[in-house]
Amino acid sequence: MKFFAFHLMPWDRLPDDFSEKYDTAWTWLPNEMFDPVHGGELYNNYLDQLVLADQLGFDGVCVNEHHQNAYGTMPSPNLMASILARQTKNCKIAVVGNAIPFYDPPTRCAEEFAMIDCISGGRLIAGLVVGGGPEYYSFSKNPTFAREMYREAFDLIIRAWTEPGPFEHYGKHWKLKYVNPWPRPIQQPHPPIWIPGAGSRETIQFVAQRRFAYMGIPYFHLDFFQRNFDMFRDECEKCGYTTDPEQLGWLLPIYCAETDEQAWAEYEKHLWYFVKKLLKGLVVFPPGYTSARSIAGIQKGLQQFMSTCETREDIEKGGYAIVGSPDTVRQKLAERITKLGVGNLLGLFQLGTLPHDLTCRSMKLFAEKVMPGLREEMNVALTS
Amino acid sequence: MMKTENKSLNIAGKKIQLTILGEGPPLLYLHSAGGETEPIDFHKKLAEKYTVYLPAHPGFALSEGLDQIDDIQDLAWHYVDLMQQLNLENVPVVSWSLGSWLAAEIKLIRPNLIGPLVMIAAAGLHVDGAPMAELFLDSFDELRELLFFDPNCQIAFDLTPSDVNDPRILLWLRAREATARVGWNPYLHDPKLAGHLHRLDSPIHIIWGRQDKLIPLAHGEYYAEHLPNAKLTILEECGHMVPYEKTEETAKLTLDFLASA
């Protein structure tokens, strides 16, 4: 069982009238709202939180890529990962992930990931993603080519890491006479690969066939995760092997305080800032991003998305976030991790307006009072 | 009862839906991103004088083969194949929006295929200072607002699905995907088209709604100014949905023009 601290680097100063005046925190939100000086403070706080995670004994930290939005102000996770490669000592550094259709050419991702792997002494986990729907608007990239670009970029990156260069690549989307990246990664044949997914069977099959790790896209109802993780295990069986729990990851907001009451009192308004403001307009499926049939299905599945929650009870019932005393958090996590059968827990400890000191205190409580017991309990539960 | 025939064609490996409507000399209709691939009143008016060929572009309705289309030029070559198979040459073409952009591209690569041309609220250009609005929206309310002069008219609601449970949603999503395929970037235009307009020198009638919020009238004016043999008619109290919003008037303008061209 592994524990990761996941970070979005969210923007914390959306105006009070945001919900009435703006349709979305994505793509079209005027960037005048971004105050660079405050942005600098935030980035430094956020990096401190991830360095703290390493000091507290988390197995890894996670950064990820988003563009032109207030939800995640980290357009280049590789910049953050390279700072963390220097400033952390032991933890894995998971970039979940690079949106590789936007890397031109995608060998740039192979190069940058190799640099991070070298600087960190082989601690990189390489996440490779299609890129979210909103990013296809932000970059004016044609979403009807998203999947084929992803597959081409993916195969090219693996080749760039594993085949001696220089070699030629003449694909549909990239034509490269010389593929020969310097540097190469420390981890051989290449760093571990994580792929996030929102439940489309196509992605689940792809990950299962290649024996990579599947990260469940967050903010859905527990039942939705259960369906997807079960589907993944079935697909692995079809490929002739049994899933290692470490091939599965579950990402969710976590907040820990001394008591349940205190935790909710401190956390609730920050959770609603995240749910009602930062998630607003998050799930946009541009045309052709996936098949029309899948889009129609997922649109209906959005009735199980966190942004439909209105009350604390909705959040707790659906397991959209875990909030409470260390005992409560440990108990709920133990039960759900066992049921879901996941070997990686990705905790989202900072989700926007939560103050720096509360974030750090929650992480400390989690690391000291939840993680050790849970690690032992789960190592027995997941391997038995 | 108007004569109607539904066909399935094989065009260079692509299965294509074709509807043929009415009697008389042939006329090719090139549909918009909205995918009016079933006969509408406007088509029926044209079919009183012509045999209207109404094919669905790949990815629309029952037409397949979008995987063989990467851009507007691929779509134009598809129509070169289709027109050859139907023995259509020097044929009058009536087109709307995406279809008009397509007509211009076909005529550039095979000028002899298209005779007199009607372009209604044509896509295809980028005009400085007159940006096209965002068509790829998720909200049907915003979409109606964008497309219609009166977004609350009955036809506006009849034409757009009401929500994701609407049974028409799949067809609608497919049409959107097929439009995005050729029109996502560059957004609904071909940067090189403006430089070719002087080569499109046969008679062209451009029809535009003055209140078109998707493709502003400035685009119509640009076409009219740079096409050597074109005239522009502006319709008042009309948005982008010209064939629906001004059915009679547009049909009359079209038939009169084709009769005189």
Side-chain angles (χ1 to χ4, degrees):
Chain A
M1 184 74 209
K2 298 275 196 316
F3 297 90
F4 288 77
F6 189 100
H7 223 303
L8 299 166
M9 307 207 166
W11 186 249
D12 65 344
R13 287 190 180 172
L14 291 179
D16 292 340
D17 62 356
F18 172 80
S19 302
E20 300 91 69
K21 282 178 88 169
Y22 299 94
D23 294 331
T24 174
W26 295 77
T27 313
W28 297 279
L29 184 69
N31 69 351
E32 281 167 308
M33 283 188 202
F34 185 88
D35 167 0
V37 174
H38 180 60
E41 290 163 11
L42 277 183
Y43 283 133
N44 282 292
N45 283 347
Y46 291 163
L47 284 165
D48 286 347
Q49 289 161 15
L50 293 173
V51 171
L52 175 66
D54 181 45
Q55 292 161 355
L56 290 171
F58 278 82
D59 297 286
V61 293
C62 306
V63 289
N64 63 355
E65 177 174 338
H66 288 292
H67 298 268
Q68 304 191 176
N69 72 98
Y71 162 88
T73 61
M74 197 165 11
S76 173
N78 298 357
L79 285 181
M80 291 307 182
S82 58
I83 293 171
L84 293 164
R86 285 276 288 180
Q87 293 207 314
T88 62
K89 298 293 169 236
N90 301 307
C91 65
K92 299 279 183 196
I93 297 164
V95 182
V96 199
N98 278 182
I100 51 179
F102 306 142
Y103 286 66
D104 196 10
T107 44
R108 215 186 150 85
C109 166
E111 291 171 336
E112 291 183 13
F113 271 175
M115 283 178 73
I116 297 167
D117 203 46
C118 289
I119 296 168
S120 66
R123 289 186 286 131
L124 175 78
I125 293 172
L128 301 171
V129 302
V130 184
E135 267 90 42
Y136 284 83
Y137 290 88
S138 297
F139 279 126
S140 288
K141 274 276 179 215
N142 193 324
T144 73
F145 295 111
R147 301 287 155 171
E148 61 179 52
M149 289 178 86
Y150 178 70
R151 278 190 294 271
E152 183 181 336
F154 192 100
D155 290 339
L156 175 59
I157 288 166
I158 301 290
R159 284 187 72 196
W161 279 335
T162 55
E163 283 183 32
F167 62 82
E168 284 186 339
H169 171 85
Y170 282 96
K172 178 170 170 189
H173 294 281
W174 292 279
K175 279 102 183 142
L176 306 171
K177 192 160 183 329
Y178 305 108
V179 178
N180 191 29
W182 285 66
R184 297 190 306 117
I186 288 180
Q187 298 181 86
Q188 289 295 317
H190 57 71
I193 291 174
W194 283 10
I195 297 172
S200 90
R201 185 176 286 274
E202 193 192 16
T203 303
I204 285 174
Q205 284 171 337
F206 179 84
V207 181
Q209 279 158 8
R210 303 200 183 196
R211 297 197 179 210
F212 297 141
Y214 181 76
M215 297 297 122
I217 294 232
Y219 325 131
F220 278 103
H221 194 283
L222 267 180
D223 296 346
F224 190 84
F225 283 110
Q226 189 76 52
R227 274 201 303 277
N228 292 340
F229 293 151
D230 287 346
M231 200 197 299
F232 182 78
R233 279 184 282 265
D234 288 347
E235 290 298 334
C236 291
E237 293 295 336
K238 281 183 203 161
C239 296
Y241 70 100
T242 300
T243 317
D244 184 322
E246 299 226 349
Q247 274 182 276
L248 285 169
W250 177 36
L251 165 55
L252 87 167
I254 297 173
Y255 187 74
C256 228
E258 273 69 25
T259 65
D260 290 350
E261 294 73 35
Q262 189 190 336
W264 273 107
E266 286 170 355
Y267 189 61
E268 188 159 359
K269 69 171 179 183
H270 306 295
L271 181 65
W272 291 122
Y273 174 89
F274 178 75
V275 174
K276 292 299 172 193
K277 293 185 177 173
L278 293 183
L279 286 186
K280 199 173 181 190
L282 163 62
V283 185
V284 181
F285 287 94
Y289 178 75
T290 180
S291 71
R293 195 165 289 281
S294 291
I295 291 181
I298 293 170
Q299 297 276 22
K300 286 185 190 171
L302 288 177
Q303 287 149 0
Q304 284 188 307
F305 198 65
M306 194 187 200
S307 53
T308 61
C309 292
E310 295 297 336
T311 64
R312 196 172 126 178
E313 286 65 43
D314 293 342
I315 298 279
E316 292 205 290
K317 255 198 208 155
Y320 292 99
I322 304 269
V323 184
S325 68
D327 273 350
T328 303
V329 170
R330 191 179 63 224
Q331 201 186 324
K332 285 189 173 175
L333 282 175
E335 177 196 314
R336 287 162 195 188
I337 288 169
T338 312
K339 201 156 174 293
L340 293 173
V342 293
N344 297 290
L345 179 72
L346 281 45
L348 182 71
F349 291 94
Q350 165 55 266
L351 37 54
T353 50
L354 190 67
H356 180 58
D357 57 331
L358 291 186
T359 309
C360 293
R361 202 196 62 197
S362 164
M363 288 171 68
K364 272 182 199 152
L365 271 177
F366 183 85
E368 286 162 9
K369 299 203 168 157
V370 178
M371 223 154 67
L374 200 55
R375 201 191 296 272
E376 269 180 38
E377 198 180 334
M378 287 305 106
N379 283 346
V380 176
L382 291 171
T383 50
S384 61
Chain B
M1 191 66 191
M2 186 164 279
K3 195 178 157 193
T4 308
E5 195 184 346
N6 294 305
K7 280 189 165 181
S8 178
L9 306 176
N10 183 326
I11 308 290
K14 296 187 278 299
K15 190 177 155 236
I16 295 299
Q17 169 183 317
L18 172 70
T19 302
I20 303 170
L21 199 62
E23 284 168 284
L27 179 154
L28 177 66
Y29 180 87
L30 296 175
H31 69 78
S32 75
E36 65 288 9
T37 54
E38 299 299 320
I40 61 174
D41 288 348
F42 179 64
H43 299 139
K44 290 173 190 164
K45 297 268 171 213
L46 303 180
E48 287 170 10
K49 296 272 166 63
Y50 290 91
T51 301
V52 177
Y53 287 80
L54 179 56
H57 311 328
F60 284 85
L62 298 176
S63 286
E64 294 168 4
L66 189 63
D67 56 338
Q68 296 169 58
I69 306 290
D70 281 354
D71 52 32
I72 194 75
Q73 282 77 28
D74 286 348
L75 195 52
W77 283 114
H78 164 72
Y79 273 96
V80 170
D81 293 340
L82 181 139
M83 292 176 80
Q84 191 171 29
Q85 194 158 320
L86 294 175
N87 287 318
L88 297 176
E89 204 176 325
N90 197 26
V91 69
V93 171
V94 178
S95 62
W96 175 26
S97 195
L98 171 68
S100 296
W101 174 21
L102 177 58
E105 300 282 353
I106 299 167
K107 202 163 168 55
L108 276 179
I109 53 176
R110 285 289 186 276
N112 59 323
L113 291 182
I114 295 180
L117 170 64
V118 175
M119 298 171 86
I120 304 167
L125 298 177
H126 175 88
V127 177
D128 280 340
M132 280 181 271
E134 178 65 80
L135 177 64
F136 300 108
L137 299 166
D138 276 338
S139 155
F140 295 117
D141 289 342
E142 285 177 46
L143 206 57
R144 280 187 285 268
E145 188 72 43
L146 180 66
L147 296 175
F148 287 88
F149 174 72
D150 172 14
N152 296 313
C153 67
Q154 189 55 44
I155 189 79
F157 288 95
D158 291 346
L159 282 179
T160 42
S162 44
D163 58 49
V164 294
N165 298 313
D166 191 309
R168 293 172 298 178
I169 193 85
L170 260 186
L171 270 185
W172 187 84
L173 285 169
R174 288 191 76 225
R176 214 164 77 113
E177 175 177 351
T179 305
R181 190 73 168 188
V182 300
W184 189 269
N185 186 13
Y187 178 57
L188 294 175
H189 74 281
D190 169 4
K192 294 200 166 181
L193 181 58
H196 285 303
L197 292 182
H198 67 280
R199 301 193 174 95
L200 301 177
D201 54 4
S202 59
I204 296 177
H205 192 171
I206 301 158
I207 302 173
W208 225 277
R210 188 179 292 283
Q211 288 84 12
D212 191 331
K213 282 176 282 211
L214 177 66
I215 309 180
L217 176 59
H219 291 241
E221 291 166 345
Y222 190 100
Y223 267 124
E225 201 178 315
H226 292 83
L227 289 166
N229 192 6
K231 65 171 175 176
L232 170 68
T233 301
I234 301 168
L235 301 177
E236 302 297 332
E237 299 196 338
C238 181
H240 184 70
M241 304 298 276
V242 183
Y244 291 102
E245 295 183 293
K246 298 284 170 188
T247 308
E248 301 278 335
E249 209 170 334
T250 312
K252 185 171 187 316
L253 285 166
T254 298
L255 292 171
D256 289 351
F257 165 73
L258 294 181
S260 66

